């Protein structure tokens, strides 16, 4: 083999060897680069997973702490509820008591309303009766009959008996005596003829004049009531143990003089106190506090 051929063969072998070495170097370099890249990716993934784990652990600790706080507050609330349990029972009893009281109050209100309506009705009936009585007493015949009844009651209250100690509407002997309302028998066949008179006209006329009247009306009222006034002179004509009574309010110096009303024979204040107690008893009965 000639030297040119040998040289050509050596050059080709060297070229191949260099190519192989270059390929090995390139392959090694590529392997190192790939290994480094994979190592970088794996490291990054590992770091990201570690961060997520850390974050989850932090969230778990936070949730655990919140759950413990909720449990603690719940336990405290249960303690408070346990302490308030008797108070709740008392409030329930108070609520039931209030409801019962409201129910009874409603019933009492209805009852009082009915009783007040009855009082108004009775008052109206009494007013009409009083007006009828006033009209009747203004009439001569009715007023005369009322006077006869009062005269008989006075005689009976004194212990006198009808047909025995006295007789009514009986003709008596004697000219012009007529028929008196009462004939009182006396010893020795003697008698006293009594005729009752009820001079109410002036009194009713005076009541028609208001208390606030002035001038001539006030003077006329005073003149009309003058004959009916109870004064010291009239009390002196009565028995020594006679008492002056009045249901009040009284019109001083019209119905009664001030010296009689405030005098030792006056019991108007005791009578007023008795009337007060009687009215309180009536009111108590109306409200249902007293048995019927």
């Amino acid at each position: 083999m000639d030297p040119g051929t040998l040289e050509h063969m050596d050059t080709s072998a060297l070229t191949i060897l260099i190519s192989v070495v270059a390929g090995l170097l390139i392959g090694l370099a590529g392997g190192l680069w790939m290994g480094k890249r994979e190592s970088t990716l794996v490291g990054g993934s590992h770091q990201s997973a570690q961060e997520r784990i850390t974050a989850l652990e932090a969230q778990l600790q936070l949730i655990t702490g919140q759950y413990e706080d909720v449990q603690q507050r719940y336990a405290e609330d249960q303690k408070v509820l346990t302490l308030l349990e008797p108070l709740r029972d008392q409030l329930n009893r108070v609520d039931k008591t209030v409801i019962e009281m409201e129910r009874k109050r409603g019933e009492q209100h209805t009852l009082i309303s009915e009783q007040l309506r009855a009082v108004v009705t009775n008052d109206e009936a009494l007013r009409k009766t009083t007006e009828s009585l006033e009209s009747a007493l203004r009439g001569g015949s009715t007023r005369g009959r009322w006077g006869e009844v009062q005269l008989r009651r006075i005689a009976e209250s004194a212990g006198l008996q009808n047909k025995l100690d006295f007789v009514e509407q009986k003709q008596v002997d004697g000219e012009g005596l007529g028929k008196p309302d009462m004939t009182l028998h006396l010893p020795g066949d003697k008698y006293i003829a009594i005729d009752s008179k009820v001079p109410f006209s002036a009194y009713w006329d005076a009541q028609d004049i208001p208390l606030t009247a002035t001038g001539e009306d006030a003077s006329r009222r005073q003149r009309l009531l003058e004959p009916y006034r109870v004064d010291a002179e009239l009390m002196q004509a009565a028995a020594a143990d006679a008492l002056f009574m009045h249901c009040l309010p009284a019109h001083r110096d019209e119905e009664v003089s001030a010296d009689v009303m405030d005098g030792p024979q006056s019991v108007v204040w005791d009578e007023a106190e008795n009337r007060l107690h009687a009215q309180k008893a009536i009111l108590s009965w109306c409200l249902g506090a007293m048995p019927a």
Side-chain angles (χ1 to χ4, degrees), residues 37-47:
R37 182 174 179 276
E38 291 180 359
S39 176
T40 301
L41 292 175
V42 171
S45 299
H46 177 72
Q47 183 177 1

Side-chain angles (χ1 to χ4, degrees), residues 1-16 18:
M1 182 175 303
D2 56 7
T5 303
L6 182 58
E7 181 179 0
H8 176 70
M9 291 176 61
D10 291 337
T11 302
S12 298
L14 180 59
T15 301
I16 293 172
I18 291 171

Side-chain angles (χ1 to χ4, degrees), residues 103-282:
R103 184 186 65 80
K104 292 182 177 180
R105 188 187 67 83
E107 293 177 354
Q108 292 177 353
H109 182 271
T110 302
L111 180 61
I112 291 175
S113 298
E114 294 177 354
Q115 292 172 345
L116 289 177
R117 283 193 292 269
V119 169
V120 171
T121 302
N122 294 335
D123 184 70
E124 181 65 19
L126 179 60
R127 185 186 65 82
K128 293 180 179 180
T129 302
T130 303
E131 291 178 352
S132 300
L133 178 60
E134 178 185 355
S135 300
L137 290 177
R138 284 182 180 271
S141 60
T142 305
R143 189 169 57 197
R145 180 57 183 161
W146 186 82
E148 296 170 4
V149 172
Q150 298 304 313
L151 179 60
R152 183 173 64 251
R153 289 180 177 176
I154 292 173
E156 291 174 346
S157 64
L160 303 179
Q161 298 182 11
N162 194 7
K163 307 298 183 181
L164 179 61
D165 299 308
F166 67 90
V167 293
E168 297 177 289
Q169 301 295 328
K170 182 179 179 181
Q171 183 72 36
V172 296
D173 297 333
E175 184 178 356
L177 294 180
K179 186 186 293 185
D181 294 330
M182 177 181 291
T183 302
L184 183 63
H185 298 298
L186 297 177
D189 294 331
K190 296 182 179 181
Y191 59 86
I192 297 177
I194 304 174
D195 199 19
S196 65
K197 301 296 181 182
V198 186
F200 264 153
S201 299
Y203 180 80
W204 291 122
D205 292 340
Q207 295 302 316
D208 289 337
I209 302 175
L211 293 174
T212 56
T214 58
E216 179 59 29
D217 289 338
S219 300
R220 181 170 178 267
R221 176 185 172 88
Q222 189 73 22
R223 289 194 305 270
L224 291 172
L225 290 176
E226 180 72 24
Y228 304 97
R229 185 175 62 202
V230 179
D231 53 17
E233 183 180 357
L234 183 61
M235 292 299 295
Q236 289 175 1
D241 58 350
L243 299 175
F244 174 76
M245 302 179 67
H246 198 290
C247 61
L248 298 184
H251 304 297
R252 287 174 178 263
D253 295 326
E254 289 187 353
E255 304 174 79
V256 55
S257 60
D259 54 349
V260 171
M261 187 169 180
D262 299 329
Q265 292 177 281
S266 174
V267 291
V268 294
W269 305 117
D270 294 331
E271 184 181 2
E273 181 182 2
N274 293 337
R275 183 182 178 188
L276 171 65
H277 296 319
Q279 291 174 337
K280 288 165 56 180
I282 293 173

